[in-house]
Amino acid sequence: MITAYCSNCRSVEIRDLSHPASFPEDAVWIDMIEPSRDEELYVEKVLGIEVPTRDDLKDIEPSARLYVENDAVFMTASLLWKADTDAPTLTDVAFILAGNRLVTIRYAHPKSFALFIAALHRLPENWRSGAALLAKLLETIVDRTAEILEISVARLDILSMHVFGDRAKKTRKPSNYLEEKLRDIAGYHRMISKVRDSLGSLSRLLTFFHTIPAVQQDRETKELCRTLSRDIQSLSEHAAFVAGNITFLLDASLGLINIEQNSIIKIFSIASVVFLPPTLVASIYGMNFQVMPELAWAAGYPYSLALMVISAVIPFFFFRWKGWL
């Protein structure tokens, strides 16, 4: 699908690909969403550029993601997608500056694009050029990434409270409670990793975008690029800090699981030691020797029971005195 946004904020969905005349002359942004081969050829014919394919966007070489060809600037960045789901992922988006027009090619629907389109009518007239629109679009993408990071941090704080719990409340938790929290921690680790990858990609794109003549000649766009570079640097540092907190939370959860397992093993160990002396007494008086003085003793049975109880109580209180229980 091809949608053209004009300088007066009018959007036109281009369906007739047989006539290049259907392309609006005042279009400043051409948004291509999952374009077919016919749509790619149409844009190539109208703008005189070679549109990168979906396979081209997946190339990780910097020379294939950031380059200039026939006076057109080609840039590719990895943006966070499906951040509101349990399976966040990265999607590659191409940004092309062809003359005074911006062309975007994407095979996903990041929320930042919807936010930018909704606010497009509020842009002043001097921001409705290809380079200026790209700078504003990148600003929206960075703001959306910061929002995702902020939401993740807030949810991690709640998760941390659930893991460590309130010491004043002695509520009993399910046996697999911490194991479930480990899966949540793994999900947030994946999210923050995707955020850091996206920020790194945006940082490289902005460094390249800042050097093109269209940006250098526009003071406001140039200043916005500098601001975005500083914001990305700050977000990257914050994401690294959050990743460290996630690592700590993961290690702490594993430590708590080990403590619980050790507590269970300690209970069984102490129980076996406590019941060992009574077992010894019962084993002695369970032997079938013919000559055993206690066999004819009338008080032998209660005596043996009392001896077993005493031999179990003494180790129990000894362990309590040592603080092992």
Side-chain angles (χ1 to χ4, degrees):
M1 183 176 68
I2 302 176
T3 304
Y5 296 90
C6 304
S7 56
N8 58 358
C9 298
R10 180 174 57 95
S11 62
V12 178
E13 186 175 338
I14 301 175
R15 299 181 180 274
D16 187 5
L17 304 179
S18 59
H19 300 289
S22 61
F23 186 82
E25 292 295 332
D26 58 343
V28 291
W29 177 26
I30 298 93
D31 188 20
M32 304 175 65
I33 306 174
E34 299 183 4
S36 63
R37 185 53 186 163
D38 292 337
E39 291 173 336
E40 292 175 351
L41 293 174
Y42 174 83
V43 173
E44 289 179 354
K45 186 175 182 180
V46 170
L47 300 181
I49 61 174
E50 184 177 352
V51 176
T53 63
R54 189 169 191 170
D55 293 334
D56 295 335
L57 298 183
K58 296 179 181 179
D59 200 329
I60 63 175
E61 292 295 331
S63 59
R65 296 174 73 90
L66 306 168
Y67 62 94
V68 178
E69 184 177 84
N70 297 330
D71 296 328
V73 182
F74 295 81
M75 296 165 285
T76 303
S78 299
L79 306 184
L80 195 60
W81 183 40
K82 295 182 179 180
D84 299 328
T85 66
D86 295 331
T89 185
L90 292 177
T91 179
D92 294 319
V93 179
F95 304 92
I96 306 172
L97 288 177
N100 197 38
R101 292 189 175 100
L102 168 65
V103 181
T104 55
I105 305 173
R106 53 193 175 104
Y107 294 87
H109 300 271
K111 190 175 180 179
S112 53
F113 276 79
L115 295 174
F116 181 70
I117 293 172
L120 194 60
H121 66 280
R122 294 197 294 265
L123 291 179
E125 293 292 337
N126 60 329
W127 283 99
R128 293 177 186 174
S129 64
L133 277 177
L134 177 55
K136 281 295 186 179
L137 176 57
L138 292 175
E139 182 183 28
T140 305
I141 293 172
V142 172
D143 290 343
R144 171 58 180 164
T145 305
E147 180 186 5
I148 293 171
L149 188 58
E150 183 179 353
I151 293 174
S152 299
V153 170
R155 291 177 178 175
L156 276 172
D157 288 339
I158 297 175
L159 179 60
S160 178
M161 294 175 60
H162 289 169
V163 169
F164 293 103
D166 189 354
R167 294 188 177 184
K169 298 179 180 179
K170 302 297 183 180
T171 55
R172 186 176 181 84
K173 298 177 180 178
S175 58
N176 61 341
Y177 181 80
L178 288 175
E179 287 81 353
E180 293 178 355
K181 298 307 174 185
L182 284 178
R183 287 190 287 268
D184 294 337
I185 294 172
Y188 288 116
H189 181 270
R190 176 183 175 85
M191 173 71 76
I192 299 302
S193 297
K194 298 298 182 184
V195 169
R196 297 180 69 180
D197 291 342
S198 179
L199 288 172
S201 176
L202 289 171
S203 178
R204 291 190 297 271
L205 185 147
L206 267 171
T207 302
F208 180 80
F209 178 55
H210 188 267
T211 61
I212 66 175
V215 175
Q216 293 296 319
Q217 296 169 4
D218 189 336
R219 184 181 60 84
E220 293 184 2
T221 303
K222 183 179 179 180
E223 185 60 30
L224 179 57
C225 289
R226 289 178 179 175
T227 303
L228 291 177
S229 296
R230 290 192 294 266
D231 290 345
I232 289 177
Q233 179 65 28
S234 299
L235 290 175
S236 298
E237 294 175 357
H238 187 49
F241 172 75
V242 175
N245 288 342
I246 291 176
T247 302
F248 165 75
L249 191 58
L250 176 62
D251 294 339
S253 300
L254 293 174
L256 290 175
I257 291 175
N258 289 332
I259 290 174
E260 288 187 354
Q261 293 176 343
N262 291 336
S263 299
I264 295 173
I265 294 175
K266 182 177 71 173
I267 292 174
F268 280 106
S269 300
I270 293 175
S272 62
V273 173
V274 167
F275 287 103
L276 184 60
T279 304
L280 176 63
V281 174
S283 299
I284 291 175
Y285 289 103
M287 293 185 292
N288 294 321
F289 291 113
Q290 185 174 2
V291 180
M292 291 186 69
E294 291 86 352
L295 291 178
W297 188 21
Y301 179 69
Y303 168 78
S304 62
L305 291 179
L307 186 60
M308 285 188 284
V309 172
I310 293 173
S311 63
V313 169
I314 291 176
F316 175 79
F317 283 103
F318 177 77
F319 293 149
R320 289 289 299 272
W321 176 67
K322 284 289 187 178
W324 299 341
L325 281 176

